[in-house]
Amino acid sequence: MPSPTPAGALVTGDRVRRAREAAAEGGADVLVLTPGSDLRYLCGYHAHAMERLTALVVPRAGEPFLVVPRLEAPMVDASPAGGLGLEVLAWDETDDAFALLAREVRARLGSDPARVAVGSRTWAEHALGVQRALGGAVLELAAPVLDRLRMVKTPAEVAELAAAGAAIDRVHARMGEWLRAGRTEAQVGADIAAAILEEGHVAVDFTIVGSGPNGASPHHELSDRVVAEGDLVVVDIGGETATGYRSDCTRTYAVGRGPDAETAEWYAVLQAAQAAASAAVRPGVTAEAVDAAARDVITAAGWGEHFIHRTGHGIGLDTHEAPYIVAGNALPLEPGMAFSVEPGIYLAGRCGARIEDIVVCTEDGVQSVNGGPRDLVVLPG
């Protein structure tokens, strides 16, 4: 198993500087980032979201600072954020944390900000509290700023995604231990979740086990349906590593016996589509062109109406993040962008199949962080 990367090795003060520059270019006076992946990305503090305000504040002038409840200040010092030299403003239970934040922003800017960019997953009570305290500033999303930074992974981040991909590959390689006729999806899912932790993750993000007709629902929840011999089973699983980076990989299995002729025919189409989309990845190619590379293969073979979702999504500290591999996204790919390639074919009421790898755009093409067979694997019944 690869040695884990110390969390602090991935986070540097340069990220905060670049975020401030990008926000200023976009016209924002201040970034306010509450607990979530944006906060963790910029300063390495993995805070718990709750009613008490925690926020990284990055004004366009003056030094950035962290507002945290006093009872959690020691956790900041123990995190990678503690090594960045950020000013930490701890507030007590009877303090007005929003007033504290506003006072410090005004001190740095010399006035109330006109535009405040907040994280996409900031709780409404926190966003509105910041807005009221800052004189009714216009709120906007920080996503255009943070996505630009987070989409392009550093070599260290790519290494973390590769380690996560190898760990989830090891889980798929063990699928025959649990997936067989006579067991429920929930029983199989519980065993998979335990293996996700055994193979190197610190948390389970999701386990999708879609058997038979449930495989036609891409985000199917585990159920008490009993897996039957002859079922196709879609297994989409992912977890979180110690540094927060995610895995996400889907394989489709046949239980007890191989597919009939029609299923084998359209599954081969799906394999070709997934391979075509992966092969299309290179710098300068647009996200929508990668989606089209998969979709065109499936449509040409007559199964286009059964491919009902985008081809992929970015991945990093979130399982789903920019860039999104979907029609209408003309974003040119850059080296370091990491995302899923996961076309699927879903036959309502019958079955479905999906093949998903995480890939990284490189200087001259593409690198997949997932291995293992992409064939329809037949498991003993």
Side-chain angles (χ1 to χ4, degrees), residues 309-328:
H309 55 70
R310 65 194 175 203
T311 293
H313 56 81
I315 189 168
L317 291 173
D318 288 317
T319 305
H320 286 196
E321 61 182 51
Y324 294 99
I325 310 304
V326 64

Side-chain angles (χ1 to χ4, degrees), residues 30-45:
V30 62
L31 294 173
V32 178
L33 302 171
T34 53
S37 57
D38 286 338
L39 176 66
R40 189 173 187 180
Y41 176 81
L42 286 183
C43 71
Y45 183 36

